[in-house]
Amino acid sequence: MAVPFDWLISGALVIDGTDRPGVHTDVGVRAGRIEAIGDLSGASATRRLEGTGRVLAPGFIDAHTHDDTVVIRAPDMIAKVSQGVTTVIVGNCGISASPVRLTGAPPDPMNLLGDASAFAYPDFASYRRAVDQARPAVNVAALVGHTALRSNHLSDLYRSASAEEITAMRAELRQSLADGALGLSTGLAYATAFAAETDEVKALAAELEAVGGLYATHLRSEFEPVLEAMDEAFDIGRSARAPVIISHLKCAGAGNWGRAGQLLAALEQAAHGHPVGCDCYPYSASSSTLDLKQVTGEYRITITWSTPHPHMGGRDLADIASEWGISQQEAARRLQPAGAIYYGMDENDVQRILAHPLSMVGSDGLPEDPHPHPRLWGAFARVLGHYSRDLALFPLHTAVHKMTGLTAARFGLVDRGRIALGQAADLVLFDPRRIHDVATFLDPCRPAEGIDAVWVNGALAYRPAQPPASSRHGRFLPRAGDLRTTFNSQPNGDLPL
Ligand code: ZN
Ligand code: CU
């Protein structure tokens, strides 16, 4: 008799991640892999789940996270598995947990990853080992942050790097890539990286060419000069023959609203000659550290945390300023270091960018924030429920593709992101009528509704209203090869169509 499956999920609408509509069928899992797809009514299995009325999809890949340290510190990762996420890409926006050797407090915005005690990984290999030891509930793949490299080698982050400093940063990036990093990320809008000239970034990015790593960037500006900032990103990517991902593409600031079409046209044009794409979170408010440049009075800002004034977390900056009898600028200065939510986007722009075929879903959630933006707990469920089902912005199988197959191709996760024979059994079963984000700006740490079960590497990782799984099965995923060959690939599925 045949060896029984470890799991048999029967009768669900299987959406395979390739942007094709789903098919009602059965899926059998054995030894962490998808072993069979089709009518398995006669098969034996150790555990079964009836999926009728549900959708079975590949586990979601969060293309943009700052989960670098939380995957080690709080490896249950409930905020993510509870919305179906099974893999997180860390090290975005120029900030990464490794390789980092701090001499004091982490500079802004590295403090988004925690205080100095969170930075315990002097090289990439030690970070990778720590992830494997912590064995988080989700898989982890990592970029190396430009600002992190700068913090190791520049005594003053508010200037461009010298030739010697660039040489030292390159060596460290090269070693990290050899140890499995996906590529380089930058956060050029932040003051701690803004002084880096294009040539500094190009010099570092040159290390990507030999190994086929990618370049992900929080643009130098998301405000009026956003097109120029996109050009800079494409220029850097082309010079290194490295695929480019524009992080959380948006039109920030009232003067910029309505320009999504222009940005997307620029992205499409660049995509003709070079592998490029973007990630996007499904909200019209952003969140990061409190940036004085963004305090303009044009839109609402709420404070999420403040080191000198912790009790101001959750309050509006305008209210704090009027209570203190000072300007918002002055109040912001007094609150720093601090975190904020900026209600600075137009919903139409968000929808156009989210719906574009070059954009994938990334939460950009901030797990260290005591009053986080709701995207941390809600981004994936919000795309599936609010944007796909309720607003019909795109079909459900396209929503799934933007968080699975598309993302896996871009990051070269060749055995993830699809329901196909031999793929790692990262799976999510959800109710397409009930799925929705529950987390709100007022009450942000609430799990999504409508997720029935999540598997990571073939093991059950989450069921709602049950305590976290007693064992966790996530892995560190090193770069699997040359990302230029997978970035725009569209592998087939094995569904019986
Ligand atoms: Zn960013
Ligand atoms: Cu980010």
Side-chain angles (χ1 to χ4, degrees):
M1 221 189 110
V3 185
F5 292 116
D6 298 333
W7 277 99
L8 202 166
I9 304 135
S10 55
L13 180 69
V14 175
I15 295 182
D16 71 357
T18 64
D19 205 9
R20 292 182 306 171
V23 170
H24 285 96
T25 190
D26 307 330
V27 171
V29 169
R30 191 185 289 126
R33 302 260 152 199
I34 294 168
E35 285 261 321
I37 302 168
D39 181 358
L40 303 175
S41 48
S44 64
T46 310
R47 302 182 74 180
R48 292 168 181 271
L49 207 62
E50 171 57 48
T52 303
R54 303 291 194 259
V55 166
L56 185 68
F60 306 144
I61 301 167
D62 192 341
H64 186 115
T65 85
H66 297 288
D67 290 339
D68 302 53
T69 57
V70 76
V71 293
I72 297 165
R73 191 181 49 75
D76 288 341
M77 294 296 292
I78 298 299
K80 293 295 167 73
V81 281
S82 62
Q83 39 179 333
V85 170
T86 55
T87 297
V88 297
I89 309 294
V90 306
N92 279 285
C93 298
I95 63 179
S96 55
S98 79
V100 173
R101 297 171 302 279
L102 292 176
T103 47
D108 178 288
M110 286 173 66
N111 52 3
L112 290 174
L113 301 183
D115 62 18
S117 68
F119 292 87
Y121 318 103
D123 50 40
F124 192 84
S126 62
Y127 176 71
R128 180 175 170 174
R129 271 196 306 277
V131 170
D132 273 330
Q133 246 156 38
R135 194 154 253 247
V138 296
N139 304 303
V140 179
L143 297 155
V144 169
H146 168 231
T147 305
L149 295 172
R150 296 188 109 227
S151 77
N152 293 337
H153 297 286
L154 275 71
S155 52
D156 172 9
L157 297 173
Y158 303 94
R159 62 166 172 80
S160 207
S162 69
E164 297 75 44
E165 288 161 343
I166 288 175
T167 304
M169 290 193 284
R170 281 184 70 152
E172 212 161 34
L173 175 59
R174 191 181 317 132
Q175 186 60 50
S176 303
L177 291 165
D179 289 333
L182 295 170
L184 174 70
S185 81
T186 57
L188 298 175
Y190 291 102
T192 43
F194 189 76
E197 285 152 16
T198 306
D199 282 346
E200 174 183 323
V201 184
K202 275 187 178 172
L204 265 62
E207 293 295 331
L208 302 170
E209 179 160 10
V211 297
L214 65 77
Y215 176 62
T217 178
H218 177 147
L219 295 171
R220 201 178 280 279
S221 175
E222 297 178 328
F223 290 78
E224 276 76 358
V226 60
L227 285 175
E228 291 82 345
M230 288 174 75
D231 280 342
E232 181 189 31
F234 300 143
D235 180 29
I236 291 165
R238 283 188 209 108
S239 78
R241 294 187 57 241
V244 176
I245 291 172
I246 309 287
S247 297
H248 41 61
L249 183 64
K250 65 170 78 72
C251 302
N256 226 4
W257 290 346
R259 293 184 65 201
Q262 286 176 45
L263 271 55
L264 292 168
L267 192 67
E268 282 170 22
Q269 206 194 339
H272 285 314
H274 194 77
V276 305
C278 68
D279 60 67
C280 175
Y281 50 80
Y283 297 85
S284 57
S286 63
S287 182
S288 187
T289 49
L290 178 58
D291 172 13
L292 295 178
K293 279 189 301 192
Q294 295 190 49
V295 177
T296 63
E298 277 181 337
Y299 42 79
R300 182 177 169 215
I301 296 174
T302 57
I303 300 303
T304 60
W305 57 272
S306 162
T307 302
H309 300 280
H311 54 289
M312 292 302 180
R315 294 193 55 192
D316 275 33
L317 178 61
D319 294 345
I320 298 169
S322 73
E323 191 174 302
W324 287 349
I326 54 177
S327 70
Q328 290 197 41
Q329 269 287 329
E330 184 52 34
R333 204 166 287 125
R334 284 192 203 172
L335 288 160
Q336 282 184 320
I341 292 172
Y342 310 86
Y343 296 78
M345 282 176 258
D346 181 69
E347 176 65 21
N348 279 322
D349 288 326
V350 175
Q351 292 188 17
R352 288 190 70 174
I353 293 169
L354 190 63
H356 194 276
L358 289 172
S359 88
M360 52 188 167
V361 179
S363 71
D364 202 10
L366 300 174
E368 304 296 326
D369 195 318
H371 195 88
H373 186 302
R375 63 196 184 187
L376 176 66
W377 288 77
F380 288 80
R382 184 168 171 82
V383 171
L384 297 168
H386 179 65
Y387 283 110
S388 175
R389 180 194 56 225
D390 298 345
L391 299 189
L393 194 59
F394 32 69
L396 185 59
H397 59 266
T398 299
V400 168
H401 177 62
K402 285 174 168 294
M403 43 184 85
T404 58
L406 179 63
T407 321
R410 291 217 173 135
F411 292 103
L413 309 174
V414 288
D415 64 346
R416 318 241 163 208
R418 285 177 299 137
I419 295 184
L421 297 177
Q423 287 267 302
D426 293 346
L427 297 165
V428 52
L429 187 73
F430 65 92
D431 184 339
R433 287 152 307 175
R434 279 183 52 237
I435 183 92
H436 73 279
D437 55 307
V438 178
T440 63
F441 287 93
L442 274 176
D443 193 2
C445 298
R446 297 188 59 195
E449 268 175 28
I451 301 282
D452 289 290
V454 180
W455 293 262
V456 173
N457 293 309
L460 196 61
Y462 176 78
R463 295 211 72 179
Q466 287 185 16
S470 54
S471 60
R472 301 180 301 263
H473 300 271
R475 297 192 186 126
F476 187 88
L477 306 177
R479 192 188 65 261
D482 186 335
L483 303 186
R484 287 168 296 208
T485 63
T486 59
F487 196 87
N488 284 326
S489 64
Q490 306 225 326
N492 291 328
D494 291 318
L495 284 186
L497 287 175

